[in-house]
Amino acid sequence: MKIYAPRMFLRTCLALSALILAPLASAATKPLKIGFAQTGAESAWRTANTESMKSEAAKRGIDLKFADGQGKPENQIRAVRSFVAQGVDVIIIAPIETTGWEPVLREAKAAKIPVIVMDRSIDVSDESLYACFIGSDFAEEGRMAADWLAKHTNGKGRILELQGTTGSSAAGERKRAFAEGIAKYPDLKVIDSQSGNFGRELGKQVMEAFLKKHGRNFDIVYAHNDDMALGAIQAIEAAGLKPGKDVMIVSIDAVREGVEAVVAGKINCTVECNPLFGPKAYDAAAKLAAGQPVLPRKQFNKDELFDATNAAAALPIRKY
Ligand code: GZL
């Protein structure tokens, strides 16, 4: 009688290993499911940020659940709650405002879904409610703007400030650090400050109101982002003034149109705030999904500044 043991044995081993490896293989190839609660579409910076998050997800085969907060914190909270219900692997938030996050983050923690805070920061009493922060150092950006201004005005000038979204860490930090940066120059002071909510149209309207209220009794505009600076430029030109010459303009973001305005001499300086978070955010998400920690827990992008000395050379290689 021929013994078929080895062949039979081999077949059994193969069948068993297929049974054991199949779920592992599918787990390895199952796409990462990520819920991303974006702030909205308030600026060119945000558009570039969304594009980076969507295109990088597509490149990596990530199953991205994208929620546009439309500028309303309650929409973001609702989106995170739905991500928890969907059982995503990782949640990413770009928080419109710093407060109001604890309850829904507790729900995500209870569901064992790690949360990445990206771009703007949040104020929570329990830092374990999120796994890591990836963003920009807004205080450094405010300091860089203040230092540049002090240097280029010999520490003298009346400043009108266009603030970003009230309650956002970006606006709060840029305002605070800028004020600290000019504090040592008694003749360089903010004479008025109002929110344009990081938007171009509102930035223009606030500038129109400033022009009505202050006439020509000001020298400088400090805008928390390029979109508001570009809106203010429209109002300044409509008032028959030359932006960048009659009125010095300092801004933040360095989006393409902002750097172009520097080259055109309408914005005097814009401090970069890089929006291209996709690769970094998904590297962190992949680690968290695999149960690994992300270290350092708080990661900040490096920013540089553009003015008449370097904007033209930088423009062709800008990625946003
Ligand atoms: C900064 C980001 C800000 C940008 C604005 O990281 O949160 O929000 O400066 C954007 O342009 O609207």
Side-chain angles (χ1 to χ4, degrees), residues 230-249:
L230 293 164
I233 284 171
Q234 291 172 22
I236 289 165
E237 288 178 328
L241 298 171
K242 289 193 183 60
K245 294 173 185 55
D246 301 332
V247 179
M248 183 175 270
I249 299 183

Side-chain angles (χ1 to χ4, degrees), residues 178-196:
F178 179 83
E180 284 171 8
I182 61 169
K184 42 188 174 291
Y185 306 95
D187 296 331
L188 189 58
K189 52 181 175 298
V190 175
I191 59 169
D192 213 335
S193 182
Q194 203 177 324
S195 176

Side-chain angles (χ1 to χ4, degrees), residues 113-290:
I113 300 176
V115 174
I116 296 173
V117 177
M118 184 191 82
D119 176 22
R120 301 177 188 173
S121 55
I122 56 175
D123 295 337
V124 285
S125 56
D126 174 3
E127 290 270 311
S128 75
L129 288 175
Y130 65 94
C132 65
F133 169 79
I134 302 173
S136 306
D137 185 344
F138 303 134
E140 179 56 18
E141 293 163 356
R143 274 190 293 275
M144 288 166 74
D147 291 349
W148 188 93
L149 197 57
K151 234 177 259 137
H152 291 79
T153 58
N154 299 319
K156 285 191 186 61
R158 297 158 297 179
I159 304 165
L160 296 174
E161 181 179 32
L162 291 168
Q163 292 181 45
T165 301
T166 305
S168 71
S169 61
E173 288 295 283
R174 287 171 182 172
K175 178 174 174 58
R176 178 186 59 77
F178 179 83
E180 284 171 8
I182 61 169
K184 42 188 174 291
Y185 306 95
D187 296 331
L188 189 58
K189 52 181 175 298
V190 175
I191 59 169
D192 213 335
S193 182
Q194 203 177 324
S195 176
N197 202 25
F198 284 130
R200 192 166 309 203
E201 184 49 37
L202 201 47
K204 179 181 171 204
Q205 290 167 18
V206 170
M207 191 65 223
E208 284 165 348
F210 279 160
L211 283 159
K212 271 204 192 77
K213 181 176 169 186
H214 297 281
R216 275 303 283 120
N217 303 318
F218 72 96
D219 312 291
I220 300 153
V221 170
Y222 167 51
H224 290 182
N225 83 329
D226 290 342
D227 283 73
M228 293 190 294
L230 293 164
I233 284 171
Q234 291 172 22
I236 289 165
E237 288 178 328
L241 298 171
K242 289 193 183 60
K245 294 173 185 55
D246 301 332
V247 179
M248 183 175 270
I249 299 183
V250 175
S251 180
I252 299 176
D253 272 357
V255 293
R256 176 163 298 281
E257 262 192 278
V259 180
E260 285 169 347
V262 173
V263 174
K266 295 188 177 182
I267 289 181
N268 300 87
C269 151
T270 181
V271 177
E272 181 187 41
C273 175
N274 194 312
L276 308 181
F277 283 96
K280 255 187 182 175
Y282 296 135
D283 286 350
K287 277 192 177 152
L288 294 169

Side-chain angles (χ1 to χ4, degrees), residues 48 50-61 64 282:
T50 293
E51 168 48 33
S52 171
M53 294 301 284
K54 287 184 172 175
S55 59
E56 189 65 22
K59 216 164 98 186
R60 297 183 182 212
L64 182 69
Y282 296 135

